[in-house]
Amino acid sequence: MYSVADLRKGLKVTIDGYPYIVTAFDFAKPGKGQALYRTRLKNMVTGSTLDRTYRSGDTFEPANLDERTMQFLYKEGTDYHFMDNQTFEQIVVGEDALGDAKHYLIDNLKVEVLLYGEKAIGVTVPNFVNLRVVQTDPWIKGDTSGSDSKPATLETGYVLRVPPFIEEGELITIDTRTGEYSTRVKG
Amino acid sequence: MATNQTLAGRFTNLRARGAVIQAIREFFCGRGYLETETPFRIPAPAPEAHIDALPAGDWFLHTSPELCMKRLLAAGYGRIFQICRCWRDGERGSRHLPEFTMLEWYSAGSDYRGLMADCEALIRTIVGKIGRNATISYRGNEINLAGEWERLTVREAFARYGDVSIEEALAADRFDELMVQQIEPRLGLGRPTFIHDYPACCAALAKLKGDDPTVAERFELYMGGMELANAFTELTDADEQRRRFLYEEGYRRSAGRQPYPLPEKFLAELPAMPPSAGIALGVDRLLMVLLDAATIDEVVAFTPEEL
């Protein structure tokens, strides 16, 4: 159990059955009055934010969050199946909870799954992931149109801009933090 | 060599801090006030519901020099001031430090209206001494110090800025919350505001108003939405003061706060105190306003986190 004295940015608490993270916090106290603890909280499942003011004596349930290393197995409709590498336990994560991570999920990729109780609420992929280009227009030698990039579709269905010299079937590295092309994988 | 860039970057503010403290001293010494020093470590802080003293051995660090200053008043020291460190446990925010600098002054024969005039003269003098204009800008608000400062009762403030009346706010135990959320941000914007005549229940050491005992002769000074000072016409009735202390101490204990012994020596000497007025002004907050600082951290050499 947390008290108001524990409030700080980054603290994770449970409110109305949801995990929230404190994103802004200030202490206010009028004159000789009682202390007020003003917080902005972000729902870690839905992403919605909430402003709440607490007083001394208020208490909070910690949000019991657990991060586990898992391996991506396969996708079935909007369900993504993962396996815990230690316990071999399998879990299903819905597309909504994945966010942009879904663009980078290839078989056997190791990811960090954030669990709230039994429920997966987020998946963190490595900063750099190698993916194969399945479709892109060929580079026309002598093209002087000045375009320094072209669209390419990856094996996960993700479409991004790549340099003109990238060809179909090539393996490229994506920076998952920006979602952009990083480099060509030689070999 | 690793220069502390944060600390070096505060040079302008810390130089102004020194100048402001010197200007305060000159102001009071020039008006015949005696500068006093009273102990920081005391056996019995004034019991107040929402102010917690830090234990120091078997005693406490003072949360204000108020009780010792009033004992000086009672012993015949008629005009006194003190600039000192005070400690309040658990108070840390963008406008709060658990150790901060307070200016207090007390004047026998004066009342809270006299203190309002003192505030106007003091702050205008300080601003002049540090070479600033009579209009200062705090967080985008122009505050004109030259003209008449606003005087607003707490009741008027709730009627003007609150979504409920003061009675409803008190009945719902929302007085402090509404002060912070709806009233304070509107005070002292174009010019400083004295908000005065607090409900009697919000002033443990103040005299009640003669013609309306539901309110106390207490005011707070606001500039740019920030509380700078708290003042009273002092309560001199020792029996009434004891009753109020017992009430506040009862609240403290029922809320699970650290119990304090009653300040018996203060209560014993209070009957000798002449009608007086006293005020506490947060020096760090005043500097925030004068230097347009967003947080109190910017006007001190070190915050607790930097030690």
Side-chain angles (χ1 to χ4, degrees):
Chain A
M1 197 79 104
Y2 292 125
S3 78
V4 287
D6 297 310
L7 282 173
R8 61 181 186 279
K9 260 193 209 178
L11 188 74
K12 299 180 184 83
V13 298
T14 301
I15 299 170
D16 304 332
Y18 277 102
Y20 280 83
I21 182 162
V22 177
T23 56
F25 165 70
D26 199 14
F27 172 86
K29 197 162 186 286
K32 304 237 171 204
Q34 59 190 318
L36 298 169
Y37 301 80
R38 298 200 283 182
T39 61
R40 173 158 291 174
L41 299 134
K42 186 176 171 200
N43 184 316
M44 296 178 72
V45 177
T46 67
S48 63
T49 60
L50 168 75
D51 290 321
R52 286 239 176 138
T53 299
Y54 296 98
R55 301 170 174 204
S56 342
D58 286 342
T59 56
F60 312 87
E61 286 294 338
N64 284 317
L65 296 164
D66 187 18
E67 197 166 54
R68 280 152 66 182
T69 304
M70 297 201 184
Q71 186 178 334
F72 176 60
L73 296 179
Y74 61 93
K75 176 188 169 186
E76 200 175 48
T78 57
D79 288 344
Y80 290 72
H81 293 252
F82 294 85
M83 181 178 71
D84 187 315
N85 285 347
Q86 250 121 50
T87 64
F88 303 105
E89 182 193 344
Q90 290 191 23
I91 63 150
V92 176
V93 181
E95 196 169 88
D96 293 346
L98 281 174
D100 290 342
K102 68 168 185 264
H103 300 318
Y104 314 110
L105 292 175
I106 47 167
D107 292 358
N108 303 324
L109 183 72
K110 273 191 189 169
V111 298
E112 297 297 321
V113 177
L114 187 62
L115 293 159
Y116 176 61
E118 294 296 303
K119 188 176 161 58
I121 59 171
V123 170
T124 308
V125 295
N127 289 344
F128 295 97
V129 172
N130 295 338
L131 292 168
R132 200 164 295 283
V133 175
V134 295
Q135 195 283 317
T136 191
D137 292 336
W139 184 29
I140 301 152
K141 273 217 167 94
D143 177 6
T144 53
S145 66
S147 174
D148 58 358
S149 70
K150 61 177 184 176
T153 305
L154 306 182
E155 56 189 307
T156 58
Y158 181 49
V159 179
L160 78 170
R161 308 289 302 184
V162 298
F165 54 81
I166 298 295
E167 292 171 12
E168 268 182 25
E170 274 193 291
L171 206 55
I172 60 171
T173 301
I174 318 297
D175 185 335
T176 62
R177 296 164 297 187
T178 59
E180 287 168 8
Y181 168 87
S182 173
T183 179
R184 175 160 58 170
V185 182
K186 302 252 167 55
Chain B
M1 192 183 79
T3 302
N4 180 338
Q5 292 297 344
T6 305
L7 190 53
R10 289 185 190 150
F11 178 74
T12 308
N13 283 0
L14 295 184
R15 190 172 53 181
R17 184 183 181 99
V20 165
I21 288 172
Q22 193 180 335
I24 293 170
R25 286 212 157 87
E26 285 168 8
F27 176 86
F28 285 104
C29 293
R31 292 180 160 225
Y33 280 76
L34 177 66
E35 179 163 9
T36 59
E37 289 183 298
T38 60
F40 293 168
R41 189 168 160 272
I42 57 171
E48 292 191 69
H50 303 297
I51 298 178
D52 288 321
L54 269 174
D58 296 340
W59 288 9
F60 299 91
L61 294 178
H62 71 176
T63 60
S64 145
E66 183 167 2
L67 300 188
C68 286
M69 296 296 272
K70 288 185 182 172
R71 290 180 68 185
L72 284 164
L73 277 175
Y77 296 81
R79 283 156 89 83
I80 48 178
F81 79 101
Q82 178 162 191
I83 301 165
C84 65
R85 290 291 176 145
C86 295
W87 289 262
R88 294 187 179 181
D89 195 16
E91 300 196 3
R92 180 69 174 109
S94 57
R95 298 174 176 186
H96 288 85
L97 284 168
E99 175 179 346
F100 61 100
T101 300
M102 192 91 101
L103 161 66
E104 295 207 358
W105 73 95
Y106 293 80
S107 178
S110 186
D111 65 7
Y112 74 144
R113 301 220 165 251
L115 290 174
M116 290 183 197
D118 289 349
C119 286
E120 292 175 341
L122 170 68
I123 293 174
R124 283 178 188 145
T125 302
I126 292 171
V127 168
K129 283 255 173 72
I130 63 169
R132 301 283 298 276
N133 293 327
T135 297
I136 58 171
S137 175
Y138 184 62
R139 305 286 93 196
N141 289 298
E142 298 282 314
I143 308 169
N144 178 12
L145 305 174
E148 195 187 346
W149 293 14
E150 184 179 34
R151 284 158 171 78
L152 187 68
T153 66
V154 175
R155 170 177 300 279
E156 287 164 346
F158 270 80
R160 194 179 295 180
Y161 305 127
D163 59 12
V164 300
S165 71
I166 187 169
E167 284 79 13
E168 291 170 279
L170 287 167
D173 191 19
R174 292 182 67 208
F175 181 81
D176 294 324
E177 179 192 331
L178 295 178
M179 271 303 280
V180 165
Q181 289 174 345
Q182 298 178 359
I183 315 287
E184 285 194 339
R186 314 285 292 274
L187 301 179
L189 297 188
R191 55 182 172 151
T193 299
F194 295 109
I195 177 170
H196 60 94
D197 293 2
Y198 275 71
C201 58
C202 304
L205 292 114
K207 177 177 168 282
L208 300 184
K209 217 174 158 147
D211 58 359
D212 180 6
T214 66
V215 297
E217 292 196 0
R218 170 185 166 201
F219 76 80
E220 293 207 351
L221 168 62
Y222 279 82
M223 283 170 68
M226 181 150 60
E227 176 201 343
L228 291 187
N230 178 68
F232 313 131
T233 306
E234 302 294 352
L235 178 66
T236 51
D237 178 336
D239 294 333
E240 173 65 13
Q241 185 66 78
R242 180 181 294 276
R243 273 194 296 278
R244 292 199 203 164
F245 277 170
L246 287 171
Y247 178 82
E248 295 280 318
E249 183 58 17
Y251 177 95
R252 291 187 56 79
R253 293 185 187 205
S254 69
R257 304 287 184 82
Q258 169 111 31
Y260 300 150
L262 276 189
E264 290 294 350
K265 290 197 172 88
F266 162 75
L267 288 168
E269 294 167 17
L270 185 56
M273 191 172 99
S276 309
I279 178 165
L281 184 149
V283 174
D284 312 281
R285 297 253 188 105
L286 175 62
L287 283 158
M288 284 176 72
V289 173
L290 296 178
L291 301 171
D292 195 16
T295 69
I296 198 166
D297 302 29
E298 296 167 31
V299 301
V300 296
F302 297 98
T303 65
E305 297 80 14
E306 290 162 351
L307 292 174

